[in-house]
Amino acid sequence: MKIYLVGGAVRDELLNLPIKEKDWVVVGATPEEMIARYFRPVGKDFPVFLHPKTQEEYALARTERKISRGYTGFEFYTAADVTLEQDLLRRDLTINAIAKDTSGKIIDPYHGQTDLQNRILRHVSPAFSEDPVRILRIARFMSQFGNLNFTIAADTVTLMRTMVTNGEVNALVKERVWQEFHKALSTAAPEKFIETLRLCGALKILMPELDALFGIPNKIEYHPEIDSGVHTLMVLQQACKLSYIAEVRFAALVHDLGKALTPMFEWPSHKGHEARGVECIKTFCNRFNVPSSFKNLALLVGEFHNLVYKAYELKPQTILKLFERADAFRRTERFQQFLLACEADFRGRPGYATLDFPQPHFLIKSLNAAKEVPIKPLVDSGLIGETLINEIHKLRIIAIQKVTH
């Protein structure tokens, strides 16, 4: 029995990146032998075991054969005669098909180290095309290694496009798409996730609302980049600079979905795109069962981002209405996240990244003033129901007015 460290742990060590988790392959063993050594079996489709002390995963070396469409349509073969090279051959990318034995020796039969040095993502074998999840994984790796200047090998891109054409991407379940997308949102360059899906044609199938933005023009005086899709990715980049919070980044990404619904004869103007975008955002979120924290923030940003630009022009009554619609008095932290996404929208244009944008500070100052209106004296005075609500509303408008004038 021989044990090898494989996959991401070896790859990240060679890239001098932190190792998040370790996966091991066991060659020349049977399930009975593993159990005899007190490993706990956990694999459903093929034998995977947890180490009795470290709880790290140890999988028996295996091969696989495609038997039906989708990423679950595989038949696995696991036996003591499966070699390490056979196990590595079934992996997705050459950079993930590198192993290290217990003495520290690197085993690299498919030249993954060369691809690491050249910063190339390349499929190990034609079997790559059998699993559509690998398209998502490549997209995520592109975002994860965004600051390392990785590119995708031309023949791998061709293979990905063929997979899309053949309908493999249609077999992806929404939970798995969201899982990889969610991971990408927390990486160094999540815009590369979207760019990669678009490169191979998968974005049109998985996220048609986003794909539809590319080619939609904006007024050049406000958007030097013109293209709505380009603007969207620039906004996402700015959101990453402003916040590590995945919800903020997601809201920034989907804030302009309504522009794809603007009638062509109205281009490059997009009056009313905020309201039109609300249903698009709901459809997008419902498709992937997006958690409510993501969905609710995205809906706020989609509907009200233009109000933030106009903050200094708004009447105190309108500002208070924004606070109430955003539930800002109870959920101040989410309102601050809303403002971050709106700031990303402002900065996501050529020449705008370093400009002054005081509107969020102004709105927070107005919110704090409104929150300082004392409620208890009003209750103690005997006010109740609608009368109490109206009095609070009136005093909050006065407080906001003092900030705005």
Side-chain angles (χ1 to χ4, degrees):
M1 184 171 83
K2 293 183 178 180
I3 297 174
Y4 301 89
L5 183 65
V6 295
V10 181
R11 176 199 68 219
D12 291 346
E13 181 181 333
L14 292 171
L15 286 171
N16 294 316
L17 296 176
I19 296 174
K20 297 179 180 178
E21 60 183 9
K22 293 182 178 181
D23 292 313
W24 306 84
V25 160
V26 183
V27 177
T30 65
E32 292 75 19
E33 289 177 272
M34 298 296 287
I35 293 171
R37 293 174 184 239
Y38 302 104
F39 283 79
R40 181 162 61 89
V42 292
K44 293 181 179 179
D45 298 320
F46 47 83
V48 178
F49 302 83
L50 297 183
H51 191 282
K53 293 183 179 179
T54 67
Q55 298 302 301
E56 291 172 346
E57 288 192 358
Y58 286 66
L60 297 189
R62 69 183 189 270
T63 60
E64 60 189 34
R65 184 171 63 90
K66 182 81 167 177
I67 56 174
S68 63
R69 176 166 287 192
Y71 73 98
T72 58
F74 290 92
E75 181 179 79
F76 299 99
Y77 173 73
T78 303
D81 62 347
V82 177
T83 67
L84 176 65
E85 288 73 18
Q86 286 176 312
D87 182 272
L88 295 176
L89 183 63
R90 67 173 178 80
R91 295 174 183 270
D92 52 3
L93 302 174
T94 60
I95 65 170
N96 294 329
I98 309 172
K100 186 171 75 168
D101 67 16
T102 52
S103 69
K105 178 185 175 183
I106 296 292
I107 298 93
D108 182 17
Y110 307 110
H111 313 294
Q113 292 177 98
T114 300
D115 284 339
L116 276 179
Q117 292 167 3
N118 294 327
R119 300 295 193 255
I120 293 175
L121 301 182
R122 188 192 312 278
H123 62 284
V124 180
S125 77
F128 176 97
S129 65
E130 297 175 349
D131 186 355
V133 168
R134 290 173 169 177
I135 288 178
L136 298 175
R137 281 171 56 80
I138 280 197
R140 201 230 316 151
F141 285 136
M142 284 295 290
S143 66
Q144 183 177 331
F145 301 137
N147 57 347
L148 297 180
N149 298 316
F150 269 85
T151 59
I152 307 172
D155 54 345
T156 302
V157 173
T158 300
L159 198 57
M160 293 163 68
R161 288 173 175 163
T162 301
M163 293 167 68
V164 173
T165 302
N166 291 344
E168 280 287 341
V169 171
N170 301 72
L172 287 168
V173 296
K174 55 191 175 184
E175 291 81 7
R176 191 57 196 269
V177 177
W178 173 251
Q179 180 184 9
E180 295 295 333
F181 184 26
H182 189 193
K183 289 179 182 177
L185 286 171
S186 298
T187 63
E191 75 279 359
K192 291 185 180 295
F193 182 88
I194 304 300
E195 289 173 348
T196 302
L197 293 184
R198 185 165 179 258
L199 176 67
C200 68
L203 188 65
K204 183 180 294 186
I205 295 169
L206 299 176
M207 304 175 185
E209 299 86 358
L210 275 176
D211 187 76
L213 290 175
F214 291 91
I216 304 293
N218 292 289
K219 289 185 177 180
I220 193 170
E221 58 265 37
Y222 301 118
H223 288 275
E225 77 288 351
I226 301 177
D227 190 286
S228 295
V230 173
H231 167 63
T232 292
L233 296 187
M234 293 181 72
V235 172
L236 179 56
Q237 288 175 312
Q238 290 299 319
C240 292
K241 294 178 180 179
L242 293 169
S243 176
Y244 290 101
I245 299 170
E247 285 88 341
V248 172
R249 297 176 174 194
F250 177 75
L253 178 66
V254 301
H255 79 285
D256 262 352
L257 293 186
K259 287 185 176 180
L261 300 179
T262 301
M264 191 179 297
F265 64 83
E266 293 183 11
W267 291 356
S269 177
H270 292 280
K271 187 176 181 180
H273 77 276
E274 302 92 344
R276 286 194 295 267
V278 167
E279 288 306 314
C280 274
I281 293 170
K282 288 180 180 178
T283 299
F284 187 102
C285 291
N286 292 342
R287 181 183 306 124
F288 299 115
N289 290 334
V290 172
S292 59
S293 61
F294 286 81
K295 180 179 179 179
N296 293 337
L297 180 62
L299 288 170
L300 277 178
V301 176
E303 186 171 1
F304 298 116
H305 59 273
N306 271 354
L307 281 184
V308 175
Y309 291 151
K310 303 172 184 175
Y312 288 107
E313 307 166 25
L314 301 178
K315 296 177 181 179
Q317 294 91 328
T318 305
I319 293 175
L320 179 58
K321 185 177 180 180
L322 171 62
F323 294 159
E324 292 171 343
R325 290 287 300 274
D327 200 11
F329 293 104
R330 292 191 310 160
R331 308 199 60 177
T332 302
E333 183 178 357
R334 188 180 69 178
F335 187 72
Q336 291 170 329
Q337 294 172 0
F338 160 80
L339 293 176
L340 284 172
C342 293
E343 182 176 350
D345 180 31
F346 171 80
R347 300 196 182 285
R349 296 173 282 176
Y352 284 72
T354 58
L355 294 184
D356 190 30
F357 188 62
Q359 286 90 330
H361 175 74
F362 168 74
L363 288 172
I364 288 295
K365 188 176 180 181
S366 299
L367 176 62
N368 289 337
K371 288 172 71 174
E372 288 174 3
V373 169
I375 307 299
K376 189 173 184 300
L378 300 177
V379 176
D380 292 344
S381 70
L383 294 179
I384 58 173
E386 198 70 28
T387 305
L388 174 62
I389 293 172
N390 290 337
E391 187 64 21
I392 294 172
H393 192 84
K394 182 176 73 174
L395 293 176
R396 283 176 170 172
I397 288 176
I398 293 171
I400 294 171
Q401 201 162 18
K402 290 179 180 178
V403 173
T404 58
H405 291 83

